[in-house]
Amino acid sequence: SQTIHQWPATLVQPVGSPLSLECTVEGTSNPNLYWYRQAAGRGLQLLFYSVGIGQISSEVPQNLSASRPQDRQFILSSKKLLLSDSGFYLCAREEGAKNIQYFGAGTRLSVL
Amino acid sequence: GESVGLHLPTLSVQEGDNSIINCAYSNSASDYFIWYKQESGKGPQFIIDIRSNMDKRQGQRVTVLLNKTVKHLSLQIAATQPGDSAVYFCAENPDYKLSFGAGTTVTVRA
């Protein structure tokens, strides 16, 4: 199976501090990668997706940015966190012709 | 906003009974649907998928039904077990991006 690594698992950050969440994947090259945010008791909101190195598409204008410096590395960043950035952040990769997305274990971010 | 929704936010099921989780979608262009299971504190896990040229697909203890006429999707879990307690999401794929509903929380009673 293809493996998705996300870290850290949990993170507590003060308002105004920077953020860097990393996702690395194993397996086939040039995967489509995705960042989602999930608020408590809610569904998944697509934040960014990438179809290749340096190619980032933003779905929602916000306080976050994403980068893909390597084929299997996808990074979610912020220069200054807001309280509203709290949530469960999930990285996913798309596999095969069926567009099935497989998810990492997620990072629980609390901004205080 | 979300184009995929669910009829009920919670479902309580007796262990051993069958579970039926419903989902309504709004995008007629969607041709691919996926059900995910998310346990507390974990990422969503793929359960089963179905293409719009099918109306039924079966997996291990799960069956997905698709009614394109009324834009309705359901997930049936046979002989529900305690390990089936989780939040279940349906997702549609009108293009290459998945759109998720808010989820149904399934609680299995012993």
Side-chain angles (χ1 to χ4, degrees), chain A:
Chain A
S1 63
Q2 315 287 2
T3 302
I4 303 171
H5 300 280
Q6 277 191 254
W7 66 91
T10 59
L11 188 61
V12 180
Q13 291 285 103
V15 170
S17 64
L19 172 74
S20 180
L21 299 181
E22 187 164 343
C23 171
T24 59
V25 302
E26 299 176 6
T28 56
S29 61
N30 201 34
N32 289 347
L33 299 176
Y34 302 79
W35 275 112
Y36 289 87
R37 177 171 58 202
Q38 185 176 30
R42 298 296 300 275
L44 282 70
Q45 178 188 33
L46 178 62
L47 302 176
F48 301 94
Y49 67 92
S50 172
V51 299
I53 295 174
Q55 300 179 63
I56 307 295
S57 295
S58 175
E59 289 296 300
V60 182
Q62 60 206 325
N63 187 40
L64 301 170
S65 62
S67 61
R68 187 168 176 178
Q70 300 180 43
D71 181 46
R72 296 188 175 92
Q73 185 183 32
F74 202 22
I75 298 172
L76 184 69
S77 304
S78 174
K79 292 182 179 178
K80 289 185 178 182
L81 283 169
L82 306 172
L83 289 174
S84 58
D85 291 324
S86 294
F88 191 42
Y89 288 84
L90 290 154
C91 177
R93 67 172 293 160
E94 187 176 87
E95 292 178 14
K98 280 189 169 184
N99 307 118
I100 297 174
Q101 292 184 22
Y102 294 91
F103 290 82
T107 294
R108 176 80 55 193
L109 172 66
S110 298
V111 182
L112 306 176

Side-chain angles (χ1 to χ4, degrees), chain B residues 12-86:
Chain B
S12 180
V13 183
Q14 184 68 39
E15 183 179 356
D17 288 352
N18 296 334
S19 303
I20 300 176
I21 305 165
N22 295 304
C23 180
Y25 65 95
S26 59
N27 194 329
S28 299
S30 296
D31 63 356
Y32 183 56
F33 305 87
I34 304 175
W35 280 100
Y36 286 91
K37 171 186 179 183
Q38 187 177 24
E39 297 176 83
S40 181
K42 298 182 179 179
Q45 177 185 9
F46 170 82
I47 302 174
I48 193 168
D49 59 347
I50 189 168
R51 288 213 173 274
S52 59
N53 61 354
M54 303 172 68
D55 53 19
K56 180 180 180 179
R57 188 155 188 242
Q58 288 184 293
Q60 187 175 12
R61 278 203 309 120
V62 295
T63 300
V64 55
L65 299 177
L66 175 62
N67 185 331
K68 295 179 287 294
T69 302
V70 295
K71 298 192 187 72
H72 183 267
L73 193 68
S74 69
L75 178 70
Q76 300 178 3
I77 305 173
T80 309
Q81 302 170 0
D84 295 326
S85 292

